[in-house]
Amino acid sequence: MGEAAELGPVAVRLYTRLLEGGPQPTTALAAALGLSEEHTEHAAAELLRHRLLARDPDAAPARWRAVSPYTAAAELVGPEENRLRRRLETLERTRARLSSLIPLYEETYRRGADSGAVEVVESRDRVMLLIADTAARCTEEVLTVQPGGGRPPGYLERALPRDLEMLGRGVRLHTLYQHTARYSPGTQEYVRAVSAAGAEVRTLGELFGKMLVFDRATAFLPVWDNPDAAVVLREPSAVAFLCSVFANAWSLAEPFSASYTATTATQLQDTIAGRLADGAKDELIARRLGMSLRTCRRHIAELMDELGAESRFQAGYLLALRSASTAPPAEDPHRATTAP
């Protein structure tokens, strides 16, 4: 059934005239409405498409008569409405059949979770299925760590409906990104959407690794040599430890915004400085901070210029001196201590 357009004002006037004056021929309607017969016929055609008009075949000349909106709705909408009702009944029966298996599924899942505290899943499709299933079962909280700068658009498109659905159920969502994600348009759009739904998103200069934890009971971790695989961790003490690591990082992180603040800029510079002092190569620093190699080298050049260093070696040396001068004095191990 095609969607009928809204009735125009001339068609409404014509319908009103027929309701008030009873059946009339086109000529009389045109004269009463001050229209040409052509415009009157056009308005009548609109009413016919909405089943609000019918010809009186017994009259001479042929006359138009108004049809009740109740009758028009039954004729125009009724068949489609009946089809939808039958379809809904079929869907409800399907839902009931599937719901009858929920107790069996819950018990089997619980036994599997109890017996599989650590599971390595090597199929990407299987990993995504497990994440979707765990997300659907989540009732309280999701903790997410996403290092590496902005997330790929395809990932965000898949994650957004899932995350909004959880937030709509009252699940808390806390997500950590690196500072460099602030300049990713796709990530900015995702953060705006989930934040409006109640999520909290923060950033940190450097993160400890990718992680996804549902209800402080099930954690998904990457497999270092297989990007399509994941470690599914359900051992309570191990998951609790991961949550405590997340809490520490969360307390140091800054609320997400679409630009660097003075604090985030300083944190980023300090992180780069620390990596330079350790002798890390540009490629490693860029990868750890989730930025391009070109951007990383620009930050390093700015830092070397600030220090007045002419080489990376000299910059590392100057940074080590600066760090030593600001470090607290070491405690003398031979100094006597008094118990509180």
Side-chain angles (χ1 to χ4, degrees), residues 148-297:
R151 296 159 79 187
Y155 186 96
L156 292 169
E157 290 174 4
R158 291 191 300 271
L160 183 57
R162 178 197 70 203
D163 294 346
L164 289 177
E165 192 277 333
M166 287 191 294
L167 289 164
R169 290 190 280 111
V171 175
R172 298 184 302 278
L173 177 60
H174 291 168
T175 299
L176 275 174
Y177 288 119
Q178 289 183 258
H179 292 326
T180 47
R182 292 170 176 243
Y183 285 103
S184 164
T187 306
Q188 291 172 7
E189 185 176 348
Y190 165 84
V191 171
R192 279 195 295 269
V194 296
S195 297
E200 292 186 55
V201 183
R202 297 183 182 181
T203 65
L204 201 58
E206 191 170 2
L207 294 173
F208 51 86
K210 190 172 184 177
M211 184 179 79
L212 187 59
V213 183
F214 293 94
D215 282 342
R216 298 180 177 261
T218 304
F220 290 83
L221 304 173
V223 175
W224 72 273
D225 61 347
N226 185 352
D228 292 330
V231 175
V232 185
L233 185 64
R234 302 185 181 93
E235 202 287 316
S237 297
V239 175
F241 173 77
L242 291 175
C243 292
S244 68
V245 173
F246 180 94
N248 182 63
W250 183 261
S251 68
L252 300 173
E254 292 289 315
F256 188 99
S257 69
S259 62
Y260 287 161
T261 64
T263 300
T264 55
T266 300
Q267 286 182 358
L268 187 64
Q269 187 184 57
D270 288 347
T271 303
I272 293 175
R275 291 295 170 188
L276 272 179
D278 292 339
K281 294 185 178 298
D282 295 355
E283 292 80 4
L284 176 60
I285 297 174
R287 187 165 60 251
R288 292 295 296 268
L289 296 181
M291 64 175 60
S292 69
L293 182 60
R294 181 179 178 180
T295 301
C296 179
R297 284 174 172 164

Side-chain angles (χ1 to χ4, degrees), residues 104-120:
L104 174 63
Y105 178 87
E106 295 282 353
E107 177 60 24
T108 304
Y109 183 91
R110 185 189 62 77
R111 289 200 304 268
D114 291 344
S115 61
V118 180
E119 178 184 6
V120 179

Side-chain angles (χ1 to χ4, degrees), residues 28-159:
L29 287 169
L33 296 174
L35 301 171
S36 67
E37 292 191 18
E38 182 183 358
H39 285 160
T40 304
E41 289 285 354
H42 181 74
E46 282 190 65
L47 294 171
L48 280 171
R49 286 195 297 272
H50 288 81
R51 306 297 194 273
L52 290 167
L53 202 64
R55 283 189 182 273
D56 189 346
D58 299 329
R63 296 186 301 175
W64 295 110
R65 61 180 176 84
V67 175
S68 163
Y70 299 106
T71 303
E75 182 179 348
L76 194 62
V77 179
E80 184 68 18
E81 195 172 47
N82 289 335
R83 282 192 291 272
L84 288 173
R85 187 177 293 109
R86 289 194 295 271
R87 180 61 178 157
L88 286 173
E89 290 172 355
T90 300
L91 292 175
E92 286 299 326
R93 288 195 296 270
T94 301
R95 182 186 296 276
R97 285 196 300 271
L98 295 176
S99 297
S100 68
L101 297 174
I102 289 178
L104 174 63
Y105 178 87
E106 295 282 353
E107 177 60 24
T108 304
Y109 183 91
R110 185 189 62 77
R111 289 200 304 268
D114 291 344
S115 61
V118 180
E119 178 184 6
V120 179
V121 182
E122 297 184 349
S123 164
R124 180 175 180 81
D125 289 342
R126 176 66 176 162
V127 170
M128 299 307 296
L129 184 63
L130 281 173
I131 290 176
D133 178 75
T134 310
R137 298 161 56 83
C138 183
T139 59
E140 295 182 6
E141 181 185 57
V142 180
L143 307 178
T144 306
V145 182
Q146 297 289 348
R151 296 159 79 187
Y155 186 96
L156 292 169
E157 290 174 4
R158 291 191 300 271

